[in-house]
Amino acid sequence: MMTGSTSLVSRIVAASLRRAWLTLGLALVLGVAALMVVSERFAMTTDTAALISADVPWRKQEIAMEAAFPQLRDAMVIIVDGATPELADDGAARLAERLAADKGHFHRVVRPDGGDYFAREGLLFSAQADVKSATQALIDAQPLLGPLAADPSLRGVANALSTMADGVASGTVPIDRIARPVRALTDATNGVFDGHPTPFSWVALFGGQAGALTAPKRRLVLVQPELDHGALMPGEAASAAVRAAAAGLGLDEAHGVNVQLTGEVPLSDEEFATIQDNIGFVAAVMLAAMVLTLWFATRSVRLVVAILLTIVLGLVVTMALGLMAVGRFNLISVAFIPLFVGLGVDFCIQICVRFNAERGQGSATAAALGQAVHALERPLVLAAGAIFLGFAAFLPTAYVGIAELGVIAGIGMIVTLALSLTVLPAIVLVLGAGKARHETGLAGLAPLDGWLVRHRRGVLWSFVIALVASIALLPLVSFDFNPLHLRDPHGPAMRALLDLTRDPDRTPNTIDVLSANPAQARTLATRLSALPQVAQVVDLDSFVPADQAPKLALITDASLLLDVTLNPFDVAPPPSDAAMVEALRQSAAKLRTAATHSQGAGARAAEQLAGAFERAAQGSPAQRAQLNMLLATPLDALLGQLRAALQAGPVTRTDLPPELVHDWVTSDGRARLEVFPAGDAGDNRVIRRFRDAVAAVTPAISGLPVATQAAANTVAFAFVEAGILAFVLVGALLLAMLRDAREVLFTLAPVVLSIFLTLGTCVLIGQPINFANIIAFPLLLGVGTAFHIYFVMAWRGGATGLLQSSLARAVLFSALATGSAFGSLWLSHHPGTASMGKILMMSLVWTLICALIFEPALLGPPRRDQRD
């Protein structure tokens, strides 16, 4: 069987050498065609969900939820944080209005925590006791609210305080009642005139007296952007439009507002940008280390050039064929680049080092090339076949990311083997070989050869002990399949997401439940709410306030009493600067009078505000205008909020806004529930218990906690399944070719050993296994199998002194070249890619140790029949 392939390979090599220029011309045409395919078809997705098959049960649930509620897909979450509740609400409202008008970038813009409905009915969502205290606080504040509503300006504020100071002076109003607003106004006034103005909040001032009136300083805007699917970052234009809109509206730190952007689309774009970030530097390091290693391996600039040209051509061809086969690259399959470089360089180095050895024995260039390939064709073909089968083992698994990597890597093995046997010899022949080298092995390792023979038993027992220790550490291997941990935590979108995760009311670590109908939704909500792992369950019924009758009675009473107060018949026009000066001086005088009739902290506060108002009256008109704006703008917001809140009415499901209903119930009656975790939403253990508890109630779940935990199980099973299949397939191939079970074990045993040693090292250095770096293990299987096949084939051919041979030199520098390709990934700014490079380097070190020390000791001296 191998004889036929040997003859075929020899004929192919001979043909490429006879027609070297024709071979290179065809290679050039192939490269240009491949480059054109790559330029037209290149696409990459950073969607981690796409790494798992859509046929997996939990992925089916995820897809079903997205199909029922497509507005949940491809979303951007805009976080608007304000120094005050008014700034946050106003900023979110203005930004949402601006984005809704931008139809070129956005086709859906909603405010999940704002809008007319929540402004009007929001008070009903508070407990009855809180509604009672809130309405009573408003009634008590009527003397202050009336003047403010009639004149919402600095003049109105000063006049209102004058009225209250008169009450204090006459003894009808305790000074402590006005102490809180007095202190707040003192700080705001002094801040303006000290040159350090701070936003003022009337909502916070009144909300402190009535908890139901408090408002958050964070608001959200959800948008669905128009994506440019032809771009590598489809949402980049939409994200830029959000930032431009925020800047145009003055929503920045200087104005007390901070706008952050996160969500599926920005995170995906940011991840690709992170991968791109220092890719030039990584590539430069990879190339420099590769060139240096190749030179030390071959000691020939011409051979280095020949290898690099072969690798570049093979990479472009593999990329083109890979895109044609799978359509686009993903976060895992893109790793075929260092994989191809590493394995392709191995084949080229093996041929070139053996070529140098043949040249050193006096052969001409063409003859030396033919002899080198003839000597290596069996191990090269066998190694390529074993690597191909190792990656093919992932094709039937549910881990699509690595299955696609297997497809591309399998294609790459065929490409690199074909080019190594055709294009590489042709380039070497055309360029010329230069001066022949007589020293092509590693003579310095001759003592180690002898030492391994003398201490073979001790060496083997040492590795057995290391294997046992590594197996003992296996239960401590950490698996972290949270896709968020593969992203750069310092990226703006990722920082915003982590910020949201710490917010218990807005954490993305929630589970979505899809129910068949509203009745089932109510039953599930009741059962889920009873779980200790669940903080709250939100469904459409959550937006219909409970206990409405007594709350509405309280609100109606307050509305009747405050109607004229909040809606005066006459509202004063904006004041002139002179009017503000007069009101400030008058208020300062009355506050001093009130302070003289009182004692304690309230009196001191009134005295301090009097001094601040006198300072304001003596200041510049520009400063007074700034103070007027500081107080009047949030005052308008407060008055508007109070007027809306006191218009609350009875609410049923039929009264809910259609856009709100659309987010929770489909047209065919299916309903969505959102389940929030109890405890720290950023703790993997908390989320795992949360997911398990919800899954015990219903299997129709999706969301980040589900995807994180289920993906871990899917990936782990895929690797167990593929690992078993890979060893069966590779073992069968080796047995068919070697026809000796003992030699098959000699080939695979060091591979198994290096895998266990790598896992043990991960435990010792605290490196978890994740979606990205787990691909080190199929790569380890491929590289390790190739290295060990070379030694076993040489050993079965009767070779001795393996470590001082040209084969050991080729394996050593092949490992170093592969290490430079894989290890350069460690320098990436992308955490997933960096961890991939880290484990690849560790696995390669163990592979090299097993190849150069354990394998020779395991093989021992050749059998007598082999030497003969």
Side-chain angles (χ1 to χ4, degrees):
M1 216 174 144
M2 186 65 79
T3 303
S5 67
T6 300
S7 176
L8 175 62
V9 170
S10 297
R11 290 198 300 269
I12 291 174
V13 174
S16 67
L17 290 174
R18 284 196 305 270
R19 297 175 178 83
W21 283 106
L22 176 60
T23 301
L24 296 182
L26 293 175
L28 180 62
V29 172
L30 178 63
V32 172
L35 198 58
M36 292 175 62
V37 171
V38 172
S39 63
E40 291 176 1
R41 298 197 179 197
F42 185 83
M44 179 174 173
T45 177
T46 57
D47 181 9
T48 52
L51 299 178
I52 306 295
S53 170
D55 295 326
V56 176
W58 65 270
R59 281 283 288 135
K60 289 182 178 179
Q61 295 294 344
E62 189 174 70
I63 293 169
M65 178 64 75
E66 291 181 349
F69 298 95
Q71 63 270 34
L72 301 178
R73 187 174 58 244
D74 295 335
M76 284 185 174
V77 181
I78 304 171
I79 307 169
V80 182
D81 291 314
T84 66
E86 294 95 327
L87 286 173
D89 189 67
D90 174 70
R94 290 192 293 132
L95 183 58
E97 183 180 10
R98 176 69 63 87
L99 298 181
D102 184 0
K103 300 300 183 183
H105 290 106
F106 309 100
H107 61 265
R108 184 172 185 266
V109 179
V110 295
R111 292 188 59 201
D113 55 4
D116 294 340
Y117 175 75
F118 290 106
R120 185 178 64 256
E121 311 295 347
L123 200 53
L124 290 175
F125 289 95
S126 300
Q128 183 178 340
D130 291 335
V131 174
K132 182 177 181 179
S133 64
T135 52
Q136 186 59 52
L138 292 177
I139 293 170
D140 293 342
Q142 192 173 16
L144 180 61
L145 286 173
L148 293 177
D151 186 0
S153 66
L154 176 58
R155 177 185 61 194
V157 172
N159 289 338
L161 287 169
S162 294
T163 301
M164 297 184 74
D166 286 339
V168 172
S170 64
T172 57
V173 177
I175 196 168
D176 289 340
R177 180 179 293 183
I178 68 169
R180 192 166 186 272
V182 162
R183 283 193 292 269
L185 288 167
T186 300
D187 292 339
T189 303
N190 286 332
V192 170
F193 288 88
D194 287 340
H196 305 290
T198 56
F200 187 82
S201 174
W202 292 97
V203 170
L205 183 61
F206 283 97
Q209 300 170 327
L213 294 176
T214 56
K217 295 181 180 180
R218 167 169 288 176
R219 296 290 186 176
L220 302 180
V221 179
L222 301 182
V223 302
Q224 275 192 305
E226 296 289 349
L227 300 178
D228 180 7
H229 293 287
L232 295 176
M233 293 185 284
E236 186 177 24
S239 297
V242 172
R243 289 189 286 268
L249 294 170
L251 303 180
D252 50 36
E253 297 286 355
H255 295 88
V257 180
N258 180 41
V259 176
Q260 300 181 83
L261 189 60
T262 189
E264 182 180 347
V265 173
L267 284 169
S268 179
D269 289 346
E270 184 173 278
E271 182 156 26
F272 189 81
T274 304
I275 293 174
Q276 280 187 314
D277 188 23
N278 66 333
I279 192 170
F281 173 70
V282 172
V285 171
M286 178 189 298
L287 180 61
M290 179 74 68
V291 170
L292 189 63
T293 303
L294 291 177
W295 187 85
F296 277 111
T298 64
R299 296 300 180 96
S300 168
V301 173
R302 297 177 186 181
L303 291 179
V304 170
V305 171
I307 293 173
L308 291 178
L309 289 176
T310 304
I311 294 302
V312 170
L313 174 62
L315 185 60
V316 174
V317 172
T318 301
M319 188 176 294
L321 294 175
L323 287 170
M324 294 171 67
V326 302
R328 63 181 181 180
F329 299 130
N330 59 53
L331 288 172
I332 301 298
S333 64
V334 75
F336 88 91
I337 296 175
L339 181 152
F340 178 88
V341 172
L343 296 178
V345 162
D346 173 54
F347 290 177
C348 292
I349 287 179
Q350 292 291 337
I351 292 174
C352 288
V353 169
R354 185 57 183 254
F355 165 73
N356 275 339
E358 299 294 340
R359 284 268 294 157
Q361 294 177 9
S363 298
T365 300
L369 285 168
Q371 292 161 3
V373 172
H374 177 73
L376 292 170
E377 60 183 287
R378 289 167 59 87
L380 286 179
V381 171
L382 189 54
I387 296 169
F388 179 87
L389 291 177
F391 282 105
F394 283 90
L395 294 181
T397 71
Y399 195 4
V400 174
I402 206 162
E404 292 182 352
L405 172 63
V407 171
I408 302 171
I411 293 172
M413 287 303 95
I414 297 172
V415 170
T416 192
L417 181 62
L419 296 183
S420 297
L421 297 176
T422 56
V423 175
L424 177 64
I427 296 176
V428 172
L429 185 63
V430 169
L431 292 180
K435 185 179 179 179
R437 287 181 49 79
H438 296 284
E439 178 55 55
T440 57
L442 295 172
L445 294 183
L448 184 57
D449 260 326
W451 185 87
L452 285 176
V453 172
R454 293 191 303 273
H455 300 87
R456 182 187 179 203
R457 186 180 297 273
V459 170
L460 292 178
W461 274 111
S462 298
F463 277 99
V464 169
I465 293 171
L467 175 63
V468 171
S470 298
I471 293 174
L473 291 174
L474 286 183
L476 301 179
V477 174
S478 173
F479 294 92
D480 181 5
F481 292 112
N482 188 335
L484 297 182
H485 296 168
L486 297 182
R487 304 178 188 271
D488 180 6
H490 304 295
M494 192 60 199
R495 281 203 312 269
L497 184 67
L498 294 175
D499 191 12
L500 272 185
T501 302
R502 291 187 288 268
D503 187 337
D505 295 324
R506 296 176 176 85
T507 175
N509 274 326
T510 61
I511 292 178
D512 286 322
V513 177
L514 186 62
S515 64
N517 51 62
Q520 186 188 56
R522 285 190 288 271
T523 301
L524 287 173
T526 301
R527 293 180 62 191
L528 292 170
S529 298
L531 297 175
Q533 297 86 359
V534 172
Q536 63 171 325
V537 178
V538 178
D539 62 356
L540 188 60
D541 288 332
S542 303
F543 299 97
V544 179
D547 303 321
Q548 294 184 35
K551 298 175 189 176
L552 284 172
L554 293 168
I555 294 172
T556 300
D557 290 344
S559 179
L560 291 173
L561 291 171
L562 296 171
D563 182 47
V564 176
T565 301
L566 295 175
N567 301 285
F569 293 107
D570 296 315
V571 178
S576 64
D577 183 65
M580 287 191 287
V581 170
E582 181 181 356
L584 287 168
R585 287 175 173 164
Q586 184 181 40
S587 182
K590 291 191 175 185
L591 285 167
R592 290 193 187 281
T593 300
T596 60
H597 289 78
S598 305
Q599 294 180 346
R604 290 193 296 273
E607 183 68 35
Q608 289 170 352
L609 182 58
F613 275 3
E614 287 175 350
R615 184 183 181 189
Q618 296 168 5
S620 68
Q623 289 175 311
R624 282 188 292 274
Q626 185 180 10
L627 179 59
N628 180 55
M629 181 67 70
L630 184 74
L631 299 177
T633 300
L635 180 56
D636 284 336
L638 170 69
L639 295 172
Q641 178 184 330
L642 295 179
R643 292 179 186 122
L646 294 177
Q647 296 300 312
V651 178
T652 64
R653 261 187 172 232
T654 58
D655 299 314
L656 295 176
E659 61 273 14
L660 179 60
V661 175
H662 179 62
D663 284 343
W664 296 93
V665 178
T666 65
S667 58
D668 60 4
R670 287 175 295 166
R672 178 171 73 95
L673 298 86
E674 187 173 12
V675 189
F676 288 76
D680 182 4
D683 188 326
N684 282 346
R685 291 169 299 179
V686 171
I687 294 302
R688 187 179 301 111
R689 290 193 293 267
F690 168 58
R691 183 260 180 190
D692 292 342
V694 175
V697 175
T698 173
I701 57 176
S702 59
L704 186 58
V706 178
T708 300
Q709 304 303 321
N713 296 332
T714 300
V715 171
F717 180 77
F719 269 84
V720 171
E721 180 185 11
I724 294 173
L725 182 58
F727 273 101
V728 170
L729 292 175
V730 172
L733 174 66
L734 293 174
L735 186 60
M737 297 302 177
L738 300 177
R739 304 295 179 91
D740 188 326
R742 184 164 172 258
E743 292 178 1
V744 172
L745 291 177
F746 284 167
T747 304
L748 294 181
V751 177
V752 175
L753 175 61
S754 58
I755 289 175
F756 281 120
L757 291 173
T758 300
L759 289 171
T761 305
C762 288
V763 173
L764 295 178
I765 67 173
Q767 173 62 55
I769 306 300
N770 57 44
F771 272 126
N773 62 35
I774 198 170
I775 74 164
F777 297 98
L779 296 185
L780 176 57
L781 174 64
V783 174
T785 301
F787 287 173
H788 300 305
I789 282 175
Y790 300 145
F791 276 107
V792 170
M793 295 291 285
W795 174 80
R796 81 192 306 254
T800 59
L802 291 176
L803 293 185
Q804 53 192 303
S805 66
S806 62
L807 171 61
R809 180 187 187 89
V811 168
L812 174 62
F813 285 102
S814 176
L816 292 176
T818 305
S820 65
F822 293 161
S824 61
L825 298 178
W826 201 342
L827 302 174
S828 173
H829 289 170
H830 183 260
T833 304
S835 71
M836 185 194 308
K838 185 177 183 180
I839 290 193
L840 284 169
M841 277 295 291
M842 289 191 308
S843 66
L844 196 61
V845 168
W846 282 120
T847 298
L848 188 59
I849 291 173
C850 289
L852 295 181
I853 298 179
F854 177 70
E855 184 72 78
L858 181 65
L859 293 173
R863 296 195 301 265
R864 188 176 299 275
D865 62 320
Q866 293 171 317
R867 290 196 300 268
D868 297 339

